Amino acid sequence: MDSEYSDSYDMYWGTLGTVRPYSNFYPDRDVTEIVTALENKDTVTLLRILTNRNNAQRQVIAQVFQELTHKDIITALKKALSGDLELLLLELLMPPVEYEAYRLQEAMAGLGTDEETLAEILSTRSGKQLQSISAAYKEMYKKDLEKEIESETSNDFEKLLKALLHKGCVAGVVQTDIETLSASLKGKKAEAGQWIDILTSRDVEHIDNVLMGLELELGQTVDQIIEKRFSGDFRLGLKVLVQCIQNRDAYLATRLKTMKKEIVQRIMVSHSEEDLLCIRAAFIKLTGTSLYTALQVCHTDKIVLNINIYYIVNISIYLFQIFA
């Protein structure tokens, strides 16, 4: 293994991700094999290489491919592949920050908006990460992310997403925040502004204590409170945010449980090097079955309809190491 990668490789084994740097990484050799595989449309080799390298190593491969062939690896893959397999490999080649920007764009593209995906990304990423994602979005799409959110959403849901985009960490007093949220529910119509302000401007531990205190005071779960007092997209967004505050891994496991191809694929790509081990454990607790088994069942049900599902499921199982 090249010495410049050895330090980062050793460090990765302390993470909660399932994708780790490939120990015997030689990018020149990988590129040579990829070039041959592209000429022969050898998808097995392409999958073997690109799904057994972490994202940083894939970026090196893309750079070396450009240097050795004077071609762009993305363009080459698009020419050689198609369908779901092409899309997955292109997503794996995106740098993490660009990938999150891409997911946000996809959630707002075309007819209709995927409100839950917007809420998911903005609720699970830190303020610092969102600054980087916003900058990447502007670079990639020549548009301002906040303005795009304004054009695609409205009312209190829009305010919530914009507040999450600029989330901070302002000091607060737990009991005071409990009283503020409780008071916001006393009128005929609950006041969304207080919830947006508190839940997007405090640290997670503080908010968790506030929500637990609110539940004790009102004798209801926060989920029940939100369900009864709010409506529409804002209710959805608030529920997502609260679930991410209380247990982010459990929320993402719930999303994976849908077994919807795009949701499963994009969450696993997004979290594979960060915390997929935790999400995997949460999935077992939630469903009583492993993510591995659930994906096998999904594969069995759908293979007749779409042969590319075979590749996606097996990549999901073996690349993301979700055997338990």
Side-chain angles (χ1 to χ4, degrees):
M1 178 175 63
D2 291 353
S3 60
E4 64 185 289
Y5 305 108
S6 60
D7 291 341
S8 62
Y9 170 75
D10 292 337
M11 289 172 63
Y12 257 80
W13 285 98
T15 73
L16 296 172
T18 56
V19 174
R20 315 289 172 80
Y22 187 65
S23 59
N24 196 28
F25 181 49
Y26 293 94
D28 288 12
R29 183 173 62 193
D30 284 348
V31 168
T32 299
E33 289 190 53
I34 288 171
V35 169
T36 302
L38 288 170
E39 290 173 354
N40 299 326
K41 295 192 175 181
D42 178 3
T43 57
V44 174
T45 296
L46 293 174
L47 288 168
R48 174 179 58 79
I49 295 173
L50 294 177
T51 62
N52 281 283
R53 309 296 185 267
N54 76 341
N55 192 276
Q57 291 173 331
R58 292 182 209 121
Q59 302 313 313
V60 175
I61 288 171
Q63 180 181 347
V64 173
F65 187 94
Q66 177 74 43
E67 292 170 354
L68 294 182
T69 68
H70 305 290
K71 296 178 182 178
D72 176 55
I73 193 170
I74 299 296
T75 303
L77 285 170
K78 286 180 178 178
K79 185 176 180 180
L81 303 174
S82 63
D84 297 326
L85 181 58
E86 173 196 345
L87 180 61
L88 178 58
L89 291 184
L90 294 181
E91 289 183 2
L92 287 170
L93 279 164
M94 292 183 188
V97 171
E98 291 183 11
Y99 186 63
E100 296 304 290
Y102 161 78
R103 290 187 66 204
L104 289 168
Q105 172 63 16
E106 287 295 294
M108 295 184 285
L111 295 175
T113 300
D114 183 352
E115 289 85 3
E116 185 161 4
T117 293
L118 292 177
E120 173 216 312
I121 296 170
L122 297 181
S123 295
T124 55
R125 296 302 173 190
S126 69
K128 184 176 180 180
Q129 287 173 325
L130 289 172
Q131 288 178 9
S132 298
I133 291 166
S134 294
Y137 187 93
K138 189 162 191 175
E139 178 67 24
M140 293 167 68
Y141 302 108
K142 311 304 178 189
K143 296 184 287 188
D144 181 77
L145 178 56
E146 184 171 358
K147 290 181 179 178
E148 287 303 297
I149 289 173
E150 288 177 354
S151 68
E152 294 293 330
T153 60
S154 60
N155 302 321
D156 290 330
F157 183 60
E158 174 195 333
K159 294 174 185 176
L160 175 64
L161 295 187
K162 288 167 63 177
L164 283 169
L165 189 61
H166 299 288
K167 67 178 70 169
C169 190
V170 179
V173 178
V174 170
Q175 187 56 40
T176 300
D177 285 347
I178 292 171
E179 292 170 0
T180 299
L181 292 182
S182 180
S184 75
L185 301 169
K186 294 187 185 299
K188 186 175 181 180
K189 182 180 179 181
E191 298 177 18
Q194 306 292 353
W195 288 76
I196 294 171
D197 179 53
I198 291 173
L199 269 61
T200 63
S201 66
R202 310 282 195 268
D203 65 67
V204 171
E205 184 179 359
H206 176 97
I207 300 171
D208 204 23
N209 288 331
V210 169
L211 297 178
M212 286 190 292
L214 187 66
E215 289 179 337
L216 288 172
E217 180 173 318
L218 299 182
Q220 302 175 71
T221 66
V222 176
D223 191 69
Q224 290 171 331
I225 295 167
I226 294 171
E227 182 68 30
K228 290 178 181 178
R229 299 310 312 275
F230 298 103
S231 62
D233 292 339
F234 179 68
R235 176 168 62 192
L236 170 66
L238 202 55
K239 278 190 169 187
V240 170
L241 176 56
V242 167
Q243 289 175 47
C244 289
I245 290 167
Q246 293 178 326
N247 192 329
R248 185 176 77 162
D249 300 326
Y251 168 70
L252 291 171
T254 301
R255 291 274 275 164
L256 291 178
K257 185 183 174 184
T258 66
M259 283 294 136
K260 292 180 179 178
K261 183 181 66 181
E262 285 188 358
I263 293 174
V264 172
Q265 177 173 311
R266 288 173 180 174
I267 288 176
M268 292 180 69
V269 171
S270 182
H271 292 268
S272 60
E273 295 185 38
E274 181 182 351
D275 55 4
L276 192 54
L277 283 172
C278 298
I279 299 168
R280 185 184 70 180
F283 188 91
I284 295 175
K285 187 174 181 180
L286 174 70
T287 66
T289 189
S290 68
L291 189 52
Y292 169 78
T293 300
L295 284 166
Q296 282 187 315
V297 171
C298 174
H299 157 56
T300 302
D301 290 344
K302 295 180 180 179
I303 186 64
V304 177
L305 299 177
N306 187 347
I307 191 65
N308 282 331
I309 293 293
Y310 170 82
Y311 293 111
I312 289 175
V313 170
N314 282 282
I315 289 169
S316 297
I317 291 172
Y318 296 107
L319 166 63
F320 301 120
Q321 300 295 302
I322 51 175
F323 299 98

